[in-house]
């Protein structure tokens, strides 16, 4: 989340004594992080909610934590970032800055003159100029969103050279998380979209003074100081969390509130979990869950949420994952590129639901994970699996056969699919799948491929974006 530039705050006696820890004690702890800013001093803890604090830096105006990176904006306008453990060295990134953000391998800096520059890669990567006249921005590993001085919101998706797509006007704040975009309008109303850049907006609530997004949660602080959170899709109900709040923080299953009195508390688990007090005298706070690592086992529901945000019908998706993972292994769909191409296809075909139905009324309409369609495909899949799908087409969307059919289509009916994925040719895979020609859908499936590829590759693309083929050929 974008932190407001924090003014000086007195460190309470309790905080002054608790924000001290020894390197020996802290070095043994790993995992999620919590950071607090007090009187210009940044302190971070790593591990559970009761871990000790480690002082990071003085003279800090703003900070952010993202994965294993910590970034600060100093009171002198310098942006500095460290990567690794809590004792890593700081690397100066830029001067003359008034804001910055971290997102995966990306660092974005908003200069005093309103120009925005972003780098993608290691801490020594070069900067790429983005646009000018920016008053607010946010970024993720795959998107950059800005609010211009005019109040116009525009977002790009893909590499740093992608084109901008206008979203709306009359805005003062933007947040990005997974496939979600949230915009706080000038009059205090919040809208969120989930999907591609052309998805429709869903109104959330009004009288908002602060908000935060994750792929699965939305949190707001209303003008009366009430913090409330929803979990699930954009139409989920709100759950009241606390009053007297000035700022809210979300990350994974962690929820933090910075109260008006300067105290910061965090809960972990569901929305009804109990609070654990963290510190007093706090002017800004941030938190993360465990940094994303490259999954080495089967695909989980949380993996899908991490990549794509909210997942429709999660019960059906969860029910089908065991058989789907088994068939992916059987079909050699196990490398980052192959898994990414396969999942991008299934997301657009069935939403990862084994029981999906095209619902056209045709006898051999689309069914199952891969939306098997047409009598010839029903005949071929049935022959390969030893089942009469022509006579029993509903079996194509059964838990027993949906995943094996998807594997058959990928490795037998379209036997070059894994090879196309190995060459990052999503356009060829889209031709193999055979949906009605649409450049917009080509782009959508390719963006889904890139999102999954970044995830399974540890946060960045394994090749330049220019080496990925999106259009069917």
């Amino acid at each position: 989340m974008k932190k407001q530039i924090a003014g000086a705050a007195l460190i309470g006696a309790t905080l002054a004594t608790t924000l001290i820890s020894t390197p020996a004690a802290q070095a043994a702890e790993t995992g999620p992080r919590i950071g607090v800013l007090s009187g210009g001093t940044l302190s971070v803890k790593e591990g559970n909610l009761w871990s000790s604090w480690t002082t990071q830096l003085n003279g800090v105006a703003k900070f952010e934590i993202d994965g294993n990176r910590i970034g600060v904006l100093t009171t002198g306008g310098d942006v500095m970032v460290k990567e690794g453990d809590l004792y890593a060295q700081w690397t100066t990134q830029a001067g003359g800055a008034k804001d910055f953000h971290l997102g995966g391998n990306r660092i974005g800096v908003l200069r005093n003159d309103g120009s925005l520059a972003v780098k993608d890669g290691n801490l020594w990567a070069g900067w790429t100029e983005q646009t000018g006249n920016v008053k607010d921005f946010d970024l993720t590993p795959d998107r950059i969103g800005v609010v211009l001085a005019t109040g116009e919101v525009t977002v790009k998706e893909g590499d740093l050279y992608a084109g901008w797509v206008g979203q709306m006007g009359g805005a003062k704040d933007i947040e990005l998380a997974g496939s979600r975009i949230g915009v706080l309008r000038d009059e205090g109303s919040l809208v969120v979209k989930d999907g591609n850049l052309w998805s429709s907006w869903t109104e959330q609530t009004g009288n908002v003074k602060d908000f935060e997004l994750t792929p699965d949660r939305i949190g707001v602080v209303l003008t009366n100081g009430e913090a409330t959170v929803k979990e699930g899709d954009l139409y989920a109900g709100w759950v009241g969390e606390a009053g007297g709040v000035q700022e809210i923080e979300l990350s994974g299953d962690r929820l933090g509130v910075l109260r008006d009195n300067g105290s910061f508390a965090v809960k972990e688990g569901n929305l009804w979990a109990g609070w654990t007090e963290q510190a007093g005298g706090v002017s800004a706070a941030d938190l993360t869950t465990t940094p994303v690592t490259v999954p080495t086992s089967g695909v989980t529901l949380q993996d899908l949420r991490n990549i794509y945000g909210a997942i429709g019908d999660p019960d059906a998706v969860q029910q089908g994952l065991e058989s789907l993972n088994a068939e992916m292994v059987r079909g050699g769909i196990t490398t980052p590129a192959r898994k990414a191409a396969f999942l991008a296809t299934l997301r657009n075909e069935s939403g990862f639901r084994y029981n999906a139905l095209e619902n056209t009324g045709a006898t051999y309409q689309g069914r199952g994970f891969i939306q098997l369609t047409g009598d010839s495909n029903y005949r071929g899949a049935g022959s390969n699996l030893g089942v009469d799908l022509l006579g029993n087409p509903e079996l194509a969307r059964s838990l027993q056969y949906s995943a094996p059919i998807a594997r058959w289509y990928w490795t037998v009916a379209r036997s070059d699919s894994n090879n196309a994925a190995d060459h990052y040719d999503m356009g060829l895979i889209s031709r193999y799948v055979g949906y009605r020609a649409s450049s917009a859908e080509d782009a959508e499936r390719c963006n889904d491929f890139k999102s999954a590829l970044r995830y399974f590759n540890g946060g960045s693309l394994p090749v330049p974006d220019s080496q990925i083929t999106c259009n069917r050929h």
Side-chain angles (χ1 to χ4, degrees), residues 198 435-446 470-472:
W198 297 269
Y435 53 85
R436 182 173 297 177
S438 167
S439 58
E441 186 163 355
D442 289 352
E444 181 176 346
R445 292 187 182 223
C446 198
C470 290
N471 295 327
R472 279 182 288 182

Side-chain angles (χ1 to χ4, degrees), residues 18-165:
T18 58
L19 292 188
I20 303 295
S21 70
T22 63
Q26 186 65 29
E29 298 177 1
T30 60
R33 291 174 170 177
I34 301 173
V36 292
L37 184 61
S38 302
T41 298
L42 171 62
S43 297
V44 177
K45 63 167 61 177
E46 187 174 63
N48 62 41
L49 299 182
W50 298 271
S51 300
S52 300
W53 296 97
T54 299
T55 301
Q56 297 293 305
L57 194 67
N58 297 316
V60 176
K62 173 198 162 166
F63 79 99
E64 242 181 50
I65 307 174
D66 187 82
N68 67 346
R69 285 181 172 180
I70 303 172
V72 300
L73 174 65
T74 70
T75 53
D78 291 331
V79 174
M80 302 169 63
V81 179
K82 64 162 59 179
E83 185 174 56
D85 63 33
L86 297 182
Y87 307 95
Q89 297 298 307
W90 294 98
T91 301
T92 300
Q93 299 293 315
K98 61 180 179 181
D99 199 4
F100 81 97
H101 288 299
L102 307 178
N105 289 329
R106 290 180 169 179
I107 303 171
V109 170
L110 178 58
R111 304 186 185 99
N112 290 325
D113 64 3
S115 61
L116 174 65
V118 178
K119 63 167 61 178
D120 195 348
N122 62 38
L123 299 183
W124 298 270
W127 294 99
T128 300
E129 297 296 325
Q130 297 297 311
T131 190
N133 297 316
V134 176
K135 70 175 181 179
D136 185 56
F137 82 102
D138 197 14
L139 54 79
T140 71
D142 193 48
R143 287 177 172 177
I144 304 171
V146 301
V147 180
L148 301 177
T150 60
E152 179 188 358
V153 175
T154 184
V155 179
K156 63 167 58 179
E157 185 173 58
D159 63 28
L160 299 183
Y161 305 94
W164 295 98
V165 178

Side-chain angles (χ1 to χ4, degrees), residues 173-190:
D173 191 7
I174 185 171
E175 293 278 345
L176 306 177
S179 60
R180 289 182 169 182
I181 304 172
V183 171
L184 180 59
R185 300 189 185 103
D186 288 332
E187 90 284 3
S189 64
L190 174 65

Side-chain angles (χ1 to χ4, degrees), residues 385-409:
L385 300 175
V387 59
D388 181 15
L389 292 180
L390 282 176
N392 301 278
E394 274 292 286
L395 290 176
R397 67 186 194 106
S398 68
L399 189 58
Q400 181 178 0
Y401 290 109
S402 186
I405 288 170
R407 187 265 309 158
W408 167 82
Y409 193 90

Side-chain angles (χ1 to χ4, degrees), residues 264-289:
F264 184 58
V266 177
K267 64 169 58 179
E268 189 171 51
N270 63 41
L271 298 182
W272 296 270
W275 295 101
T276 300
E277 298 297 325
Q278 297 298 309
V282 176
S283 55
D286 196 14
L287 52 84
T288 67
T289 47

Side-chain angles (χ1 to χ4, degrees), residues 336-346 410 417 420-421 426 429 449 452-453:
R338 293 179 181 185
K339 289 194 289 187
F342 188 66
L343 292 179
T345 300
L346 265 56
W410 194 264
S417 296
M426 194 63 196
I429 289 171
F449 168 65
L453 184 57

